[in-house]
Amino acid sequence: MYFHDAETLERNELEKLQVERLKKTIEQAANSPYYSEVFKKNNIDPSIIKSADDIKKLPFTSKDDLRSQYPYGLLTKPIDEFVRLHASSGTTGTPTAVFYTQKDLDTWADLMARSMYAVGLRRSDVLQNMSGYGLFTGGLGIHYGSERLGCLTVPAGAGNTKRQIKLIRDFNVTAMHIIPSFALYFAAKVREEGFDPADMPWRIALIGAEPHTEHTRRKIEEMMHIKAYNSYGLSEMNGPGVAFECTEQDGMHVWEDSYIAEIIDPETGEHVAEGEIGELVMTTLTREGMPIIRYRTRDLTRFLPGECKCGRTSRRIDRIMGRADDMLILKGVNIYPMQIEKIIMGIPEVGHNYVIELFKEGLMDQIRVKVEIKEEFFVEDMRALQGIQKKISSMLRDEILITPRVELVQHNSIPKTEGKAKRVVDLRDEED
Ligand code: ADP
Ligand code: ZN
């Protein structure tokens, strides 16, 4: 049971479609001030594309390119033709603005509806969207997809836990869209409010918008008595609905009739060997108003080998390991925050939040991991707590090869921000 024929196209058919759409994309992009110049400089026109692999002949587009063209440089049509804009969250600096024609919004809603269908949502479901609305694509993107699928859609927005719980109970909410770091917090809150998550009407959570580990997903599933599915997207590629898990929970299907995904070595720009980790590069194939070619997402992942049991033929990517920008270099060692999360969230005594702090001790850069401990363990004696601390510290050393300070803190003591969690705090310029 699939939402769209494109999900099960034979690979050669899919590739034919990609080539056709890539040519059209180049043709359309040439109408924008930015690409018209880039194409002229590099002698690019649709005729150079003979196979999907020929995408390698096209230049990359970086976040800086988008910023330098802010706000209108990539638009292929007069501004009158556009009906909506969104902007990235600006997690890593100046935001970029993305514009949509009505047709683009329709395409996006279809992709979103397809994604939701793939995890088992149907028109009889009631979906509560618990992500922020506004410029962030996780609001309206999920919202219109859910309506397109025919679900009753509750635009709850972010925050306000008590009201969220009330809406869920009053309207028999069966599915939620929720940011993973908030899901962990929310699950604990539901209990604190005196409800048993097992008695709640929900059955499916769509989680995404920020990196999280498999342990975190399992933890959300256990705490909430729910099935949680990974949802990947970025504003530059419309928003959510770019790649999505199916009910197999074994990697995210990239909707390849709408996007070409490549994985490159961020240093050389060359494709990595099949299955190796690298930077995800994405091209839109069905966007008319603001096509983007070979966009360097900075997100790190790999293609998963083999076919998915669900029967969809599109390739799958592994969960995002983090952004290239998130890499910390400490004492000459490269560390990704997700390596730390992987360890921490696998430890039963750990609650739902943590933060990584970088600080200076003398001239040395040091790393400190503050970890919230579940209430029931925090009341234990000093020796037990020291034991937990030692365990976390040595497991982290095995993973990241240096020994971080580990500080155990009380449940709910790390401030919870609305929206994407800030996992790394750099205190190196401050007095310690
Ligand atoms: P910003 O880059 O400012 O956060 P967006 O709101 O467009 O802007 O967010 C897109 C980014 O969010 C992606 O490039 C990726 O880094 C992250 N992201 C989105 N979904 C996921 C996911 N399922 N897993 C990990 N990271 C994700
Ligand atoms: Zn599948």
Side-chain angles (χ1 to χ4, degrees):
M1 288 276 278
Y2 310 101
F3 189 79
H4 196 280
D5 295 345
E7 293 171 66
T8 49
L9 276 182
E10 296 287 337
R11 289 300 307 179
N12 58 346
E13 290 296 317
L14 183 61
E15 212 170 285
K16 247 196 259 160
L17 185 67
Q18 287 187 321
V19 170
E20 195 184 296
R21 289 185 170 172
L22 181 57
K23 281 166 168 287
K24 183 144 182 244
T25 297
I26 295 174
E27 200 181 296
Q28 280 169 329
N31 295 325
S32 71
Y34 175 67
Y35 283 116
S36 85
E37 203 172 293
V38 170
F39 291 171
K40 248 182 245 143
K41 229 193 285 164
N42 298 282
N43 279 324
I44 287 164
D45 67 63
S47 71
I48 65 167
I49 304 294
K50 306 262 181 328
S51 71
D53 203 45
D54 285 339
I55 194 167
K56 287 190 204 152
K57 296 178 182 165
L58 305 175
F60 293 117
T61 306
S62 69
K63 195 150 194 134
D64 281 341
D65 294 329
L66 297 192
R67 282 179 184 142
S68 74
Q69 296 300 311
Y70 183 90
Y72 300 133
L74 271 83
L75 304 195
T76 63
K77 290 168 178 288
I79 194 73
D80 300 11
E81 306 270 329
F82 292 85
V83 296
R84 177 143 16 117
L85 71 81
H86 277 288
S88 69
S89 323
T91 310
T92 57
T94 326
T96 48
V98 182
F99 295 77
Y100 308 72
T101 64
Q102 186 56 52
K103 189 161 169 248
D104 292 334
L105 289 181
D106 285 339
T107 313
W108 181 22
D110 280 336
L111 287 170
M112 223 25 267
R114 180 199 296 188
S115 305
M116 292 173 170
Y117 193 89
V119 298
L121 286 182
R122 295 296 179 268
R123 62 194 306 272
S124 52
D125 278 293
V126 181
L127 182 133
Q128 182 151 317
N129 189 3
M130 299 169 63
S131 81
Y133 275 64
L135 289 171
F136 175 51
T137 51
L140 294 177
I142 296 279
H143 185 98
Y144 280 98
S146 170
E147 288 187 356
R148 177 65 49 99
L149 187 56
C151 300
L152 176 63
T153 308
V154 187
N160 201 340
T161 321
K162 277 193 186 158
R163 197 188 56 173
Q164 300 277 8
I165 297 173
K166 179 166 166 47
L167 292 170
I168 289 167
R169 286 165 47 84
D170 288 356
F171 303 124
N172 243 328
V173 167
T174 56
M176 293 179 291
H177 173 238
I178 183 167
I179 291 184
S181 55
F182 185 66
L184 289 168
Y185 169 83
F186 185 67
K189 270 287 191 216
V190 168
R191 280 188 191 284
E192 279 168 40
E193 293 294 323
F195 299 106
D196 182 349
D199 296 336
M200 297 298 262
W202 57 49
R203 60 188 186 94
I204 290 175
L206 314 176
I207 57 171
E210 64 185 8
H212 57 285
T213 63
E214 183 64 26
H215 274 315
T216 300
R217 182 244 291 275
R218 294 296 168 212
K219 193 159 180 158
I220 292 169
E221 291 195 327
E222 278 159 30
M223 287 176 81
M224 298 186 79
H225 290 260
I226 206 164
K227 275 276 171 203
Y229 296 102
N230 198 354
S231 149
Y232 173 77
L234 59 163
S235 337
E236 293 82 356
M237 295 287 123
N238 287 331
V242 172
F244 226 85
E245 276 185 340
C246 63
T247 47
E248 298 296 327
Q249 294 188 315
D250 186 19
M252 298 182 282
H253 288 280
V254 178
W255 302 130
E256 290 179 283
D257 53 317
S258 252
Y259 302 97
I260 293 183
E262 304 168 77
I263 294 179
I264 62 160
D265 176 332
E267 300 296 321
T268 65
E270 301 291 327
H271 284 186
V272 296
E274 196 61 36
E276 269 180 28
I277 296 175
E279 179 183 347
L280 183 65
V281 171
M282 298 292 294
T283 300
T284 62
L285 292 179
T286 48
R287 202 155 67 176
E288 58 167 24
M290 189 176 166
I292 301 184
I293 290 167
R294 300 197 86 195
Y295 182 63
R296 306 243 341 212
T297 66
R298 315 285 291 144
D299 291 329
L300 301 171
T301 184
R302 62 187 178 119
F303 283 122
L304 293 175
E307 281 159 22
C308 187
K309 289 201 199 87
C310 74
R312 288 179 183 81
T313 48
S314 59
R315 281 196 290 182
R316 290 161 301 145
I317 51 170
D318 203 349
R319 60 177 59 256
I320 306 293
M321 281 112 198
R323 302 189 197 218
D325 324 70
D326 289 342
M327 191 179 76
L328 313 168
I329 304 177
L330 227 80
K331 303 178 183 169
V333 182
N334 299 349
I335 304 168
Y336 284 100
M338 280 307 108
Q339 289 177 284
I340 294 178
E341 179 168 320
K342 190 172 90 188
I343 299 298
I344 291 176
M345 286 301 169
I347 296 174
E349 293 91 346
V350 169
H352 54 76
N353 209 355
Y354 71 92
V355 65
I356 301 163
E357 290 178 345
L358 302 175
F359 64 101
K360 265 208 167 5
E361 200 171 49
L363 291 175
M364 289 287 277
D365 285 343
Q366 298 284 7
I367 181 169
R368 173 167 55 217
V369 186
K370 283 189 179 162
V371 187
E372 281 187 8
I373 294 298
K374 284 185 189 150
E375 239 167 347
E376 63 260 38
F377 295 105
F378 212 82
V379 292
E380 286 196 14
D381 64 59
M382 212 45 194
R383 218 163 345 133
L385 281 177
Q386 273 170 357
I388 298 172
Q389 191 177 23
K390 269 216 178 106
K391 176 169 74 173
I392 297 176
S393 169
S394 90
M395 286 174 78
L396 282 174
R397 189 195 50 229
D398 290 347
E399 174 70 30
I400 63 176
L401 308 176
I402 59 174
T403 312
R405 302 274 168 80
V406 172
E407 204 175 295
L408 304 185
V409 299
Q410 220 160 345
H411 175 66
N412 276 342
S413 64
I414 297 174
K416 173 81 198 78
T417 48
E418 220 170 72
K420 304 190 189 211
K422 189 160 172 41
R423 294 304 193 190
V424 182
V425 178
D426 195 341
L427 303 169
R428 283 176 295 187
D429 289 336
E430 294 174 19
E431 305 248 2
D432 196 62

